[in-house]
Structures are given as structure tokens and as C-alpha cells.
Amino acid sequence: MSELGPDLIIGAVSIFTAGITMAIGSIAPALGEGKAVAEALNAIAQQPDEAPTLTRTLFVGMAMVESTAIYCLVVSMILIFANPFWEYFIGKAGG
Amino acid sequence: MSELGPDLIIGAVSIFTAGITMAIGSIAPALGEGKAVAEALNAIAQQPDEAPTLTRTLFVGMAMVESTAIYCLVVSMILIFANPFWEYFIGKAGG
Amino acid sequence: MSELGPDLIIGAVSIFTAGITMAIGSIAPALGEGKAVAEALNAIAQQPDEAPTLTRTLFVGMAMVESTAIYCLVVSMILIFANPFWEYFIGKAGG
Amino acid sequence: MSELGPDLIIGAVSIFTAGITMAIGSIAPALGEGKAVAEALNAIAQQPDEAPTLTRTLFVGMAMVESTAIYCLVVSMILIFANPFWEYFIGKAGG
Amino acid sequence: MSELGPDLIIGAVSIFTAGITMAIGSIAPALGEGKAVAEALNAIAQQPDEAPTLTRTLFVGMAMVESTAIYCLVVSMILIFANPFWEYFIGKAGG
Amino acid sequence: MSELGPDLIIGAVSIFTAGITMAIGSIAPALGEGKAVAEALNAIAQQPDEAPTLTRTLFVGMAMVESTAIYCLVVSMILIFANPFWEYFIGKAGG
Amino acid sequence: MSELGPDLIIGAVSIFTAGITMAIGSIAPALGEGKAVAEALNAIAQQPDEAPTLTRTLFVGMAMVESTAIYCLVVSMILIFANPFWEYFIGKAGG
Amino acid sequence: MSELGPDLIIGAVSIFTAGITMAIGSIAPALGEGKAVAEALNAIAQQPDEAPTLTRTLFVGMAMVESTAIYCLVVSMILIFANPFWEYFIGKAGG
Amino acid sequence: MSELGPDLIIGAVSIFTAGITMAIGSIAPALGEGKAVAEALNAIAQQPDEAPTLTRTLFVGMAMVESTAIYCLVVSMILIFANPFWEYFIGKAGG
Amino acid sequence: MSELGPDLIIGAVSIFTAGITMAIGSIAPALGEGKAVAEALNAIAQQPDEAPTLTRTLFVGMAMVESTAIYCLVVSMILIFANPFWEYFIGKAGG
Amino acid sequence: MSELGPDLIIGAVSIFTAGITMAIGSIAPALGEGKAVAEALNAIAQQPDEAPTLTRTLFVGMAMVESTAIYCLVVSMILIFANPFWEYFIGKAGG
Amino acid sequence: MSELGPDLIIGAVSIFTAGITMAIGSIAPALGEGKAVAEALNAIAQQPDEAPTLTRTLFVGMAMVESTAIYCLVVSMILIFANPFWEYFIGKAGG
Amino acid sequence: MSELGPDLIIGAVSIFTAGITMAIGSIAPALGEGKAVAEALNAIAQQPDEAPTLTRTLFVGMAMVESTAIYCLVVSMILIFANPFWEYFIGKAGG
Amino acid sequence: MSELGPDLIIGAVSIFTAGITMAIGSIAPALGEGKAVAEALNAIAQQPDEAPTLTRTLFVGMAMVESTAIYCLVVSMILIFANPFWEYFIGKAGG
């Protein structure tokens, strides 16, 4: 059994990077969406008749903002569950 | 018994990353939601008749903002309770 | 008795992470709620007749903001009182 | 007597974390409450007749903001007076 | 006599943490109270007739803001004068 | 089998850089898009008749903003799945 | 004579902490008081007839803000002139 | 085979620099473009008749802002796929 | 003669702390006073008849702000000219 | 063959500096140009008749802002493709 | 001759602290005075008849702001030309 | 041939400093010029008749702002192509 | 000849401190003066008849702001050309 | 020939300090001048008849702001071309 071997370092780096990527990646989408929602409520209060157009624009726009959070979640999940570097070293450690 | 072995390092990194991910990941959603709630109250004060539309938009929007906090909570819980790297090293340590 | 053993490092990391998670996790909810309360007071002053609707929206919204502080408290308490890594190493140290 | 033993490190980390948790945890509630009080005074000046409603909303809201400071105080006190890691190592050192 | 023993490290960490806790813990209350006082003066200038209500609300609110500074002072004083970790190591050093 | 060899270091650096690139790269697009969506909602509320022109401009503009997030995602994916440095060292390790 | 003994380290930490505590602790009160004074001048210019009420409120409020600076000064003076850790080690060094 | 040789260090530095360059380089263009889009929507809402002039100016301006992101992408791609330092050391390692 | 003895370290720490305490301690009073002066000039321009009341309030307020700078100067001077730790070590070095 | 020789260090420093120079150097021009474009759109909406003068001033001004990004690109390219220090050491390594 | 003796370290620390104290200590007074001058010009433009009162208040106020810069200059000069620690070590080195 | 000799260190420091000087030195001029251009466009929209005076003032002012970027470029180029320290060490290495 | 002797360290610290003192010390005066000039131009545009009084107040005020930059320049020049610590060590090295 | 001798360290510190001094020293003047130019354009647009007075005040004021950049350039050039510490060590190395 290899102690402090390459699999350990790859594992530790993957865990840390996965968490930090998700954490930092959640900051801006949440702020951006909060701002969009706040402005949408303000706009609906000004023009109640346009509420359907406004909420539709809001949700399409928020989906686009959310996409950057999704990119980070995808990178984070790849690093935890489908990490090619990890699989290479597991294979080598088992080989 | 292996002292300072790979399981220790993976465990320590997982604990630290889980906490930091949740801590950083709670900053932006709380600020964004606080802003949205503040604007909603302002909008209701301006247009009391639109209160149902406004609160509905508020809660749908906040659910979307909350989703980024949930992503962080999910990553944090995966690292504590369903960590594939930890299980690999536990298996190896026990093997 | 193992000195500077894995249980020590896991314990120290858990204490530090629990405290920091709670400390950072309290920043944004407090700011967000403070903003929401401030806006609620402003809105009530503008529309005293809508006070019940406004306070209801305020408390539902604040509960959602508070939820991110609760997530951090939960992670912090798990790390102090129900830490699976700690239990593993305690078991190993006692085994 | 064990010098520089695990109890020392756990103790030092607990002291430092307890202080920092309380210190960081007091920033946001104080700012949020200060903002809420400032707005309340502004609102009372605008609508003196609504002073009872406004102060009631203010104090309920501030109690909720204060709760995040209380969470930090609780974590800080647990780390100083009811620290399970410390008790484990004290027990071990005395065992 | 133990040089560079556990009591030294606990003492140094306690001194540093006590000072930093008080220093950081004084930032936000002072800013929050300064903001509240500024707004109170503004409100009194707008509504001189409501001065008693405004100053009463101001002082109750400031007492609540001050409470977070008090929590920090309490933690700081506990670390200097009633530190359970210090007493444990003093007892051990004298034992 | 080479322990702590070049493939390990290249792998660890690639994982860390891929995550950080995606995380930092998601901050600005999310903020910029949130701002654009907020302004679009405001503009639609002012000029409901121009909603088609406004949403078209919004989506073309957001696509351009999103492009910087895509650049980061591309760099991140190249580093994980098509990394020329990694392939060189894998080839050398296997050679 | 003990060189680089515990008294030296306690002394150096006490000096540094005393200075930093006072320095950081003076930032927020000075800013908060400056803001309060500025607002008071503004309020007096608006309502010269209320000058007595305004200055009284100003000085009571500033006294409360000043209290956080006083807490820091007290902690700083305790660390320089009535430091229990220092007295313990002086006693031990002389014992 | 040279372990930890110059090619490794050049490779690791190139990977890290390529990612960081792209990540930092995407911040300002995304913010600047978001601001420009937001203002364009505002301007179109004010002057719907000038929409063609405004969108033309917007896209020419955004192309210029985007150019700084492109510079970073170019530097990043040169470092990954056409790095003269890497080629020099590969040649030397193979020589 | 003791080289690199305790007196050296205490002296170096005292010099550094004295300078930093004064430097950081001058930031906030200068900003706060600048703000107060600026507002005073503004207020006098609005209400020239109240100039005596305004300048009196200004100088009393600035004296209070200046007090935090004075605290820092006092701590700084104590560390340079009346440092009890320094005197203790000088006495010990000469004893 | 010199391992870890001067050419390696010069190469690594050049790669890192080239990337960072371009990355930091792209921040301010992108923000400045974004601001200029936003203001231009605003100005055109106010004075559609002056659109030619405004766009001409905009592009001359942006060219000047872009010049600082070009300086950084030039320094970055010199460091990668025409680095006098690199050529000196390559010459020496080959000499 | 003592190389790397106490006088060297005291000298190096004194130089560095003197420079940093003056540098940091010049930030806030310059900003505060710039603000006060700006407001004074604004006030004179509003009330040209009050120019004598305004400039007198300005210069008295700026003298008070300047005092914090003077404190830093005094500490800086004491450290360079009248440093008691330096004189002590010079005396010891010559003794 | 001297490995890791003075010429290497001087070269590496010169490369790094040249890049950083240019990168940091491009931030403020780009922001300042962007602000000036934005204001110029605003001013032309307000006073189209004064466009010649405004653009002339703009370009003279921007030339002065640009001068600080030029200073940085000059320092950067001196460090790369006319570095007296480098020439001294090259001379010494060749001597 | 003393290599790495006290004169070297004093010289290196003096160079670094002189540069940093001047660099940091130029930030605030330039910002403060820029603000004062901007306000002066604004004031002259409002009250062209008061231009002599305004420019006189501006230059007296800017001289006072400039004084803090001069203090830093003086400290910087003292460290380069009239450094008492340097002269002491030069004398000792030559003695 | 002295390798890693005092001249090397003095040279490296001088290069780095010269670059950083110029880089940091260019930030504030560029921002301050940009602000002054922006305000001048605004003022000319408001009072075209006062353009000569305004541009004269602008250029005298900018010359004063530029002076702080010139101080930094002078310190930077002294460190590169007329460095007394460098000349001392060159003299000693050649002596």
C-alpha cells in the first residue's frame, strides 16, 4: 500500500478544488439574480399590466445567469465523480 | 494502524472544505434575497393591489437564488457523508 | 497513547472549521435581514394600511434569508457533535 | 506530564477560534441593526402616528438579526466551556 | 520550571485573541451606532415634536447594537481573567 | 511506478487551475448579466411598446457577455480533458 | 537568567497586541463620531431652534460610540500594566 | 527519463498561468459589457427611434471591450498550444 | 553582553508597534474630522447666522474624534518612552 | 544538459509575468471603455443629432484607453517572443 | 565588531517603521483635507459673502486634521533621530 | 559557466518587475481616461456648440493622464532593454 | 570585505522603505488634490465672479494637502541621502 | 568574483523598488487628473464663457497633482541611475 502516494494528493486537491469552485461560483449568480428579482418587482409595481412580459424576461434572463452557476457545479461534480486524473492514478495504483 | 496516513489528510481536507464551501456559499444568496425582500416590500407599499403578483414573483425568484446556496449545501454534505475519495481510502486502509 | 495522532489533527481542524463556518455564515444573513427590516419600516411609514401584508412578507422573506445561517449552524454543529470523520478516528484510536 | 501534547493544541485552537468567531460574528449584526434603527428613526419622523407599529416591527426584526450574533456566541461558548474535543483529550491525558 | 511549556503558548494565544476580539468587535457597533445617532439627529431636525419618542427608540436600539460589543468584551475578559484552559494548564504545571 | 512524479504534479495543478478558472470566470458574467436583465426589466416597464427591440438587444448583449464565461469553461475543459502537457507526461510515463 | 524565556514571548505578544488593539479599535469610533458630528451640524443648520436638543442627543450618542474605543483602551492598558499572564511568568521567573 | 525536470516546471507554470490569465481577463470585459448593455437598453427605452444607431454603437463599442478578453484568450492559448519555452525544453529533453 | 537577547526583541517589537499604532490610529480621526469640517462649511453656507453655534459644536465634536488619535499617540509614547516590559528586561540585563 | 538551470527559471518567470501582465492590464481598459460606451449611448439618446460627433469622440477616446492595454500586450509579447534575458541565457546554455 | 548584532536589527526595524508610519499616516489627512477644501470651495460659491468665516473655519479645521499627520511625522522623526532603543544599543555596542 | 549566478537573479527580477510595473501602471490611466471620455460625451450632448473646446480640453487632459502610463512604460522598457544593473553583471560575468 | 554585513541589510531596507514611502505617500495627496481641483472648477462655473477668491482658497488648501506628500518625500530623501543608521554602519565598517 | 554578494542584493532590491514605486505612484495622479478633466469638461459645458479661466485653473491644478507622480519618478530614477547605496557597494566590490 502506497502512503502519501499520488492518489492521496490528487484526492485532496480534487476535494478542495470542488468545494472552492462551487463556493466562489455561487457568489455572483446569487447577487445577479437577487438584483434582477429586485428590479422585476420594482418594474411590476410600476407597470402591473406588463407583469407577464416582465416575469418572462426575468426568468429567461435568470436562466442565463444561473448557467454560470451550473458551469461551476458541473466542474465541481466532474472533479468529484468523473475525474480523469483520479481514474488514471487509481488505475496506476491498482496496476 | 497507519498514523498521519492518507485517510487523515483526506478527512481533514474534507472537513475544512465542507465548512468553507457552506460558509462562502451562504454569503451571496443571503445578500441577494435580502435585497429582493427589501425591494418587494417597497413595491407592495407602492402598489398594494399587486401584492399577490409581487409575492409570487418574489418567492419564485428567491427559490432560484436559494438554489445556489443549495448547491453549496449539497457539495458540503457530499464531502461529509458521501465522499468517494474518503470511501476509497477507508477501503484501502481496511484492505 | 498516540501523541499528535490523527484524532488531534481532526479535532483541531473541526474546531477551527466549525467556528469559522458559523462566523462567516452569520455575516450575510445579518446584513440582508437588516436591509429587509429597514425597508419594511420605510414601507410601513409610507403605507400604514398595508402593515399586516408587509410584516407577513417581511417575516416569510427573513425566514428564507435566515435559512442560509441555519445551514451554516447545521454544518457547524455536525462538525462539533456528529462528525463522521472524528468518530472514525476515535474508533480507530480505541481499536 | 505531556508537554506540547494534544491538549495544548486543542486548547490553543479553541481559544483562538472562540475569539475570532465572536469577533467576526459581531460585525454584521451590529451593522444590520444600526441600519434598521436608523431607518426606524427616519420612519417615525415621517409617520409619528405609526410609532407603535414601527417600533414593534423594529424589535421583532432586530431580534431575528441578533439571532445570528447569538449563534456565534453559542458556538464560542461551546468551544470554551463545553468542548467535546477538549473533554476527550482531557480524559485521555488523565487516563 | 518548564520553559516554552504549554502555559506559555496558552498565555500568548489568550493575550493575542483577547486583544483582537475586542478590536474587531468594536468596529461594527461603533459604525452602526454612529449611523443611528446621525439618523436620529436628522429625524429630530425634521420632527422636533417627536424628540422624546425618537431618543427613546434611539437608546433602546443602540443598547441592542452595543450588546454585540459587550459579547466581545465578555469573551475578551473571560480569556484574560477566567480562562478555563489557562487554569487547567496552571493546575497541571503546579501539579 | 514513479511516485510523486511529473504526472502527479501536472495533474494536481490542472485540477486546481481548472476549478479556479471556472470559479473566477463565472463572477463577472453573472454580475454583468444580472445588471443587464435588471435594466431590461426597468426599460420594458418604461416603454412596454418597445419590448421586442429591448429583449432582442438584451439577448444579443448577454450572449456577448456570456462569451467570456464560455472562454473560461473552454480553458477549464481543455485542462481537464485535452491537456497537451498531461498527454506529454502520460506518454513519457508510459514510454 | 533565562534568555528567550516565557517572559520574553509574553512581553512581546502583549506589546504588539496592546498597540494593535488600540489602533484597530480607534478606526470605527472616529468614523462613527465624525459622521454623527457632520449630521448634527447639518441638523442644526436646518433647525437652529432645536440646537440644545440636538447637541444633547449628539453628546449622549457620541459617549456611547466612544465607549467601544474605551473598551479597547481598557484592554490595551490591562495588557500593558495589569497583565495576569505577565505577572504569573514574572513570578515564576523570579521564583 | 528526467523526473521533476525543467519540462515539468515549465508545464505546471504554463497551465496555471493560462488558467489565471483567462480567469482574471474575463472579469473586466464582462462587467464593462454588462454596463454597456444596461445603458443601451435604457437609451433605447428613452429614444426608441434611435434604436438602430444605438445598437450599432453598442456592438462596435462592445467589440472593442471584447478585444481585451481576446488578448487574454490569445495569451492563454499561446501558453497552452504554442509555448516557445515549452518547445525549447521538449527539444532539449528529447535531444 | 547578550546578543539577540530579550532586550533586542522587546525593543524591535516596541518600535514597530509604536509606529504602526500611530499610523493606523491616524486614519480614522483624519477622515472623520475632514468629514465634519466639510459638513460644517456646508452648514455655515446654509445658515450664516448660526456660525457661532456651528463652529462651537464642530470643535467640541472634533475634540472628541481627536481623542481616539490621542489614545493611539499615548499608547505609542508609552511603548517608546515608558515601556514597563522594556524596563523589566533592561533591569534584568543590567542585573 | 543543465537541469533546473538559469534558462528554466527565466522561462518560468517569463511565462508567469507575461500572463499576469496581460490579465491585470486588461482590467482597467475594459472597465474604462465600458463606461465610455455606456455614456456615449446615453448621450446619443439625449442628442440624436450629435451622433456623428459623439461616436467620433468615443472612438478616438477609446483608442487612447485601448493604448494602455496595447502597452501590456506589447510587454507580454516581448517577454514571450523577444525576451533579451532569455536569449542571453539560451546563448550561454548553448555556448 | 558585532555583525548582525542587535544594533543592526534595531536600525533596520527603525528605518522600515519610520517610513511606513509616515506613508500610512499621510493617507487619511490628505483625503480629509482634500474633502474639506472641496466643500469649502462649494460653500464659497454658494455664499460668497461668508468667504472670510468659511476660510477661517476651513483653516482651523485643516490644522486639526493636519495634526494627525504631524503626530506620525513626530513618531517617524523620533524613530530616526531620537530613538531611545537605538541609543541604548549603541551605548551597549560601544560599552 | 555560473549557474544560479547574479545575472540569473537580476534577470528574473527585471522580467517580473517590468511586467508588474506596466500592468499596475495601466490601471489608473485607463480608468481616468475612461471617466474623462464619458464626461466629454456627456458635455458634448449638453452643449453641442462647444464641441471643439471640449474635445481640445479632453485631449490635452488625456495626454497628461496618459503621461503616467508612459512613465511606467519607460521604466518597464529601461528594465528590459537598458538596465544598468544587468549590464554591470553581464560585464562582470564576461570579465 | 564584509559580505552580507550590516551595511548591506541597512542599505537594502533603506532603498525599499524609501521607495514604498514615496509610492504610498503619493496616493492620498493626488486623490485629495484631484477632488479639490474638480470642485474648484465646479464652483467657478457656478460663480464666475468669485474666481479669484476660489482659486486663492484652492491653492492655499492644495499647498496644505501637498504638505503630506512633502513629508513623505522628506522621509524618503533622508533615508537615501542622510540616513543616520547608514552613516553609523559605514563608519563602523570603515573603522 | 563575489557570487550572491552585496551588489547583487542591492541591485535586485533597487530594480524591484524602482518599478513598484513608479507603478503605485502612477495610480492616484491618473485617477485624480481624470476626475479633474471630467469635471472641467462638465464645467465648460455649463459656463462656456468661462472656458479660459477653467482650463487655466485645470492645468495649474493638474500640474500640482502631477507633481506627486514626478516625485515617484524621481525616486525611481535615483534608484536606477544615481543610487548612493549601489555606488558604495560597487566601489567596495571594486576596491
Side-chain angles (χ1 to χ4, degrees):
Chain A
M1 194 189 89
S2 67
E3 290 212 5
L4 294 170
D7 47 359
L8 170 62
I9 295 172
I10 291 291
V13 168
S14 298
I15 290 170
F16 183 72
T17 307
I20 285 295
T21 302
M22 193 63 248
I24 296 179
S26 77
I27 292 174
L31 290 179
E33 292 177 11
K35 188 171 191 174
V37 173
E39 197 62 39
L41 294 164
N42 195 21
I44 292 173
Q46 276 182 278
Q47 287 277 1
D49 299 340
E50 292 299 316
T53 309
L54 288 166
T55 51
R56 203 181 52 227
T57 307
L58 174 67
F59 292 127
V60 175
M62 279 176 83
M64 212 144 172
V65 177
E66 189 81 8
S67 72
T68 64
I70 302 290
Y71 297 165
C72 288
L73 186 64
V74 164
V75 169
S76 187
M77 289 296 109
I78 285 171
L79 292 182
I80 296 179
F81 295 116
N83 191 326
F85 302 102
W86 171 253
E87 277 151 21
Y88 170 82
F89 284 107
I90 292 291
K92 229 170 73 172
Chain B
M1 195 189 89
S2 66
E3 290 212 5
L4 293 170
D7 46 0
L8 170 62
I9 294 172
I10 290 291
V13 168
S14 298
I15 290 170
F16 183 72
T17 307
I20 285 295
T21 302
M22 193 63 248
I24 297 178
S26 77
I27 293 173
L31 291 179
E33 292 177 11
K35 189 171 190 174
V37 173
E39 198 62 39
L41 294 163
N42 194 21
I44 292 172
Q46 277 182 278
Q47 287 277 0
D49 300 340
E50 292 299 315
T53 310
L54 288 166
T55 51
R56 202 181 54 227
T57 308
L58 174 67
F59 292 127
V60 176
M62 279 177 83
M64 212 143 172
V65 177
E66 189 80 9
S67 73
T68 65
I70 301 290
Y71 296 165
C72 288
L73 187 64
V74 164
V75 169
S76 187
M77 289 296 110
I78 285 171
L79 292 182
I80 296 180
F81 295 116
N83 191 326
F85 302 102
W86 171 253
E87 277 151 20
Y88 170 82
F89 285 107
I90 292 292
K92 230 169 74 171
Chain C
M1 194 189 90
S2 67
E3 288 211 7
L4 294 170
D7 46 0
L8 169 63
I9 295 171
I10 290 292
V13 168
S14 298
I15 290 170
F16 183 73
T17 306
I20 285 294
T21 301
M22 192 63 248
I24 297 178
S26 77
I27 292 174
L31 291 178
E33 292 176 11
K35 189 171 189 174
V37 173
E39 197 62 38
L41 294 164
N42 195 21
I44 291 171
Q46 277 182 277
Q47 288 277 0
D49 300 341
E50 292 298 315
T53 310
L54 288 167
T55 51
R56 202 181 54 226
T57 308
L58 174 67
F59 292 126
V60 176
M62 279 176 83
M64 211 144 173
V65 177
E66 188 81 9
S67 72
T68 65
I70 301 291
Y71 296 165
C72 289
L73 186 64
V74 164
V75 170
S76 187
M77 289 296 110
I78 286 171
L79 292 182
I80 296 179
F81 295 116
N83 191 327
F85 302 102
W86 171 253
E87 277 151 20
Y88 170 81
F89 284 106
I90 291 292
K92 231 170 72 172
Chain D
M1 193 189 90
S2 66
E3 288 211 6
L4 294 171
D7 47 359
L8 170 63
I9 295 172
I10 290 292
V13 168
S14 297
I15 290 170
F16 183 73
T17 307
I20 284 295
T21 302
M22 193 63 248
I24 297 178
S26 77
I27 292 174
L31 291 178
E33 291 176 11
K35 188 171 190 173
V37 173
E39 197 63 38
L41 294 164
N42 195 21
I44 291 172
Q46 277 182 277
Q47 287 277 0
D49 300 341
E50 292 298 315
T53 310
L54 289 166
T55 51
R56 202 180 53 226
T57 308
L58 174 68
F59 292 127
V60 176
M62 280 176 83
M64 211 144 173
V65 177
E66 188 81 9
S67 72
T68 64
I70 300 290
Y71 296 166
C72 289
L73 187 64
V74 164
V75 169
S76 187
M77 290 296 110
I78 285 172
L79 292 182
I80 296 180
F81 295 115
N83 191 327
F85 301 102
W86 171 253
E87 277 151 21
Y88 170 80
F89 284 106
I90 291 291
K92 230 170 73 172
Chain E
M1 193 190 91
S2 67
E3 288 210 7
L4 293 170
D7 47 0
L8 170 62
I9 295 173
I10 289 292
V13 168
S14 297
I15 290 170
F16 183 73
T17 307
I20 285 294
T21 301
M22 193 63 248
I24 297 179
S26 76
I27 293 174
L31 291 179
E33 291 177 11
K35 187 171 191 174
V37 172
E39 198 62 39
L41 294 163
N42 195 21
I44 291 172
Q46 276 182 277
Q47 286 278 0
D49 300 341
E50 292 299 314
T53 310
L54 288 167
T55 51
R56 202 180 54 226
T57 308
L58 173 67
F59 292 127
V60 175
M62 280 176 84
M64 212 144 173
V65 177
E66 189 79 9
S67 72
T68 64
I70 301 290
Y71 296 166
C72 289
L73 186 65
V74 164
V75 169
S76 187
M77 289 297 110
I78 285 172
L79 292 182
I80 296 180
F81 295 115
N83 191 328
F85 302 103
W86 171 253
E87 277 151 22
Y88 170 81
F89 283 108
I90 291 292
K92 229 169 72 172
Chain F
M1 194 189 89
S2 67
E3 290 212 5
L4 293 170
D7 47 0
L8 170 62
I9 295 172
I10 291 291
V13 168
S14 298
I15 290 170
F16 183 72
T17 307
I20 284 295
T21 302
M22 192 63 249
I24 296 179
S26 77
I27 292 174
L31 290 178
E33 292 177 11
K35 188 170 191 175
V37 172
E39 197 62 39
L41 294 164
N42 195 22
I44 292 173
Q46 277 183 277
Q47 287 277 1
D49 300 340
E50 292 298 316
T53 309
L54 288 166
T55 51
R56 203 182 52 228
T57 308
L58 173 67
F59 292 127
V60 175
M62 279 176 84
M64 211 144 172
V65 177
E66 189 80 9
S67 72
T68 64
I70 301 290
Y71 296 165
C72 288
L73 186 63
V74 164
V75 169
S76 188
M77 289 296 109
I78 285 171
L79 292 182
I80 296 179
F81 295 116
N83 191 327
F85 302 101
W86 171 253
E87 277 152 22
Y88 170 81
F89 284 107
I90 292 292
K92 229 170 72 171
Chain G
M1 193 189 91
S2 67
E3 288 210 7
L4 293 170
D7 47 0
L8 171 63
I9 295 173
I10 290 292
V13 168
S14 297
I15 290 170
F16 183 72
T17 306
I20 284 295
T21 301
M22 192 64 248
I24 297 179
S26 76
I27 292 175
L31 291 178
E33 291 177 11
K35 188 171 191 174
V37 173
E39 198 63 38
L41 293 164
N42 194 20
I44 291 172
Q46 277 183 277
Q47 287 277 1
D49 301 341
E50 292 298 316
T53 310
L54 289 166
T55 51
R56 202 180 54 226
T57 308
L58 174 67
F59 292 127
V60 175
M62 279 175 84
M64 211 143 173
V65 177
E66 189 80 9
S67 71
T68 64
I70 301 290
Y71 296 166
C72 288
L73 186 64
V74 164
V75 170
S76 188
M77 289 298 109
I78 285 171
L79 292 181
I80 296 180
F81 294 115
N83 192 328
F85 302 104
W86 171 253
E87 278 151 22
Y88 170 80
F89 284 107
I90 292 291
K92 229 169 74 172
Chain H
M1 193 189 88
S2 67
E3 289 212 5
L4 293 170
D7 47 0
L8 170 62
I9 294 172
I10 291 291
V13 168
S14 298
I15 290 171
F16 183 72
T17 306
I20 284 294
T21 302
M22 192 64 249
I24 296 179
S26 77
I27 292 174
L31 291 178
E33 293 177 11
K35 188 170 190 176
V37 173
E39 197 62 38
L41 294 163
N42 195 21
I44 292 173
Q46 277 182 275
Q47 287 277 1
D49 300 340
E50 291 299 317
T53 310
L54 288 166
T55 52
R56 202 182 51 227
T57 307
L58 174 67
F59 292 128
V60 175
M62 280 175 84
M64 211 144 173
V65 177
E66 189 80 10
S67 72
T68 64
I70 302 289
Y71 296 165
C72 288
L73 186 64
V74 165
V75 169
S76 187
M77 288 297 109
I78 284 172
L79 292 182
I80 296 179
F81 294 116
N83 191 327
F85 302 101
W86 171 253
E87 277 151 22
Y88 170 82
F89 284 107
I90 293 291
K92 229 170 73 172
Chain I
M1 193 189 89
S2 67
E3 288 211 7
L4 293 169
D7 47 0
L8 171 63
I9 295 173
I10 290 292
V13 168
S14 296
I15 290 170
F16 183 72
T17 306
I20 284 295
T21 301
M22 193 63 248
I24 297 179
S26 76
I27 293 175
L31 291 178
E33 292 177 10
K35 188 170 191 175
V37 173
E39 198 62 38
L41 294 164
N42 195 20
I44 292 172
Q46 277 183 277
Q47 287 277 1
D49 300 341
E50 292 298 316
T53 310
L54 289 166
T55 51
R56 202 181 52 226
T57 307
L58 173 67
F59 292 127
V60 175
M62 279 175 85
M64 211 144 174
V65 177
E66 189 80 9
S67 72
T68 64
I70 301 291
Y71 297 166
C72 288
L73 186 65
V74 164
V75 170
S76 188
M77 289 297 109
I78 285 172
L79 292 182
I80 296 180
F81 294 115
N83 192 327
F85 302 104
W86 170 253
E87 277 151 23
Y88 169 81
F89 284 107
I90 292 292
K92 228 168 75 172
Chain J
M1 193 189 87
S2 68
E3 289 212 5
L4 293 171
D7 48 359
L8 171 61
I9 294 173
I10 291 292
V13 168
S14 298
I15 290 171
F16 183 72
T17 306
I20 284 295
T21 302
M22 193 63 250
I24 296 179
S26 77
I27 292 174
L31 291 179
E33 293 177 11
K35 188 170 190 176
V37 173
E39 198 62 37
L41 294 163
N42 195 20
I44 292 172
Q46 278 182 274
Q47 287 277 1
D49 300 340
E50 292 299 316
T53 310
L54 288 166
T55 51
R56 203 182 51 228
T57 307
L58 173 67
F59 292 127
V60 175
M62 280 175 84
M64 211 144 172
V65 177
E66 189 79 10
S67 72
T68 64
I70 301 290
Y71 296 165
C72 288
L73 186 64
V74 164
V75 170
S76 188
M77 288 298 109
I78 285 172
L79 292 182
I80 297 179
F81 295 116
N83 191 327
F85 302 102
W86 171 253
E87 277 151 22
Y88 169 82
F89 284 106
I90 292 291
K92 228 169 73 170
Chain K
M1 194 190 89
S2 67
E3 288 212 7
L4 294 170
D7 48 0
L8 171 63
I9 294 173
I10 289 291
V13 168
S14 297
I15 291 170
F16 183 72
T17 306
I20 284 296
T21 300
M22 192 64 249
I24 296 179
S26 77
I27 292 175
L31 291 179
E33 292 177 11
K35 188 170 191 175
V37 173
E39 198 62 38
L41 294 163
N42 195 20
I44 292 171
Q46 277 182 276
Q47 287 277 2
D49 301 341
E50 292 298 316
T53 310
L54 289 166
T55 51
R56 202 181 51 227
T57 308
L58 173 67
F59 292 127
V60 175
M62 279 175 84
M64 210 144 174
V65 177
E66 189 80 9
S67 72
T68 64
I70 301 290
Y71 296 165
C72 288
L73 186 64
V74 165
V75 170
S76 187
M77 289 298 109
I78 285 172
L79 292 182
I80 297 180
F81 295 115
N83 192 328
F85 303 103
W86 171 253
E87 277 151 23
Y88 170 81
F89 285 107
I90 291 291
K92 228 168 74 171
Chain L
M1 194 188 87
S2 68
E3 289 213 4
L4 294 170
D7 47 359
L8 172 61
I9 294 173
I10 290 291
V13 168
S14 298
I15 290 171
F16 183 73
T17 306
I20 284 296
T21 301
M22 192 64 249
I24 296 179
S26 77
I27 291 175
L31 291 179
E33 293 177 11
K35 188 169 190 176
V37 173
E39 198 61 38
L41 294 163
N42 196 20
I44 292 172
Q46 277 183 275
Q47 287 277 2
D49 300 341
E50 291 300 316
T53 309
L54 288 166
T55 51
R56 203 182 50 228
T57 308
L58 173 67
F59 292 127
V60 175
M62 280 175 84
M64 211 146 173
V65 177
E66 189 79 9
S67 72
T68 64
I70 301 290
Y71 296 164
C72 288
L73 186 64
V74 164
V75 169
S76 187
M77 288 298 109
I78 285 172
L79 292 182
I80 297 179
F81 294 116
N83 191 328
F85 303 101
W86 171 253
E87 277 150 23
Y88 169 82
F89 285 106
I90 292 292
K92 228 169 74 170
Chain M
M1 194 189 88
S2 68
E3 289 211 6
L4 293 169
D7 47 0
L8 171 62
I9 295 173
I10 290 291
V13 168
S14 297
I15 291 170
F16 183 72
T17 306
I20 284 295
T21 301
M22 192 64 248
I24 296 178
S26 76
I27 292 175
L31 291 179
E33 292 177 11
K35 188 169 190 176
V37 173
E39 198 62 37
L41 295 163
N42 196 20
I44 292 172
Q46 277 183 275
Q47 287 278 2
D49 301 341
E50 292 298 316
T53 309
L54 289 166
T55 50
R56 203 182 50 227
T57 307
L58 173 68
F59 292 127
V60 175
M62 280 175 84
M64 210 144 175
V65 177
E66 190 80 9
S67 72
T68 64
I70 301 290
Y71 297 165
C72 288
L73 186 63
V74 165
V75 170
S76 187
M77 289 297 109
I78 285 172
L79 292 181
I80 297 179
F81 294 115
N83 193 328
F85 303 102
W86 171 252
E87 276 151 25
Y88 169 82
F89 284 107
I90 291 292
K92 229 168 73 171
Chain N
M1 194 188 87
S2 68
E3 288 212 4
L4 293 170
D7 47 359
L8 171 61
I9 294 172
I10 290 291
V13 168
S14 297
I15 291 170
F16 183 72
T17 306
I20 284 295
T21 301
M22 192 64 248
I24 296 178
S26 77
I27 292 174
L31 290 179
E33 292 177 11
K35 188 168 190 176
V37 173
E39 198 62 37
L41 294 163
N42 196 20
I44 292 172
Q46 277 183 276
Q47 287 277 2
D49 300 341
E50 292 299 317
T53 309
L54 289 166
T55 51
R56 204 182 49 228
T57 308
L58 174 67
F59 292 127
V60 176
M62 280 175 83
M64 210 144 173
V65 177
E66 189 79 10
S67 72
T68 64
I70 301 290
Y71 296 164
C72 288
L73 186 64
V74 165
V75 170
S76 188
M77 289 297 109
I78 285 172
L79 292 182
I80 297 180
F81 295 115
N83 192 327
F85 303 101
W86 171 252
E87 276 151 24
Y88 169 81
F89 284 106
I90 291 292
K92 229 168 73 170

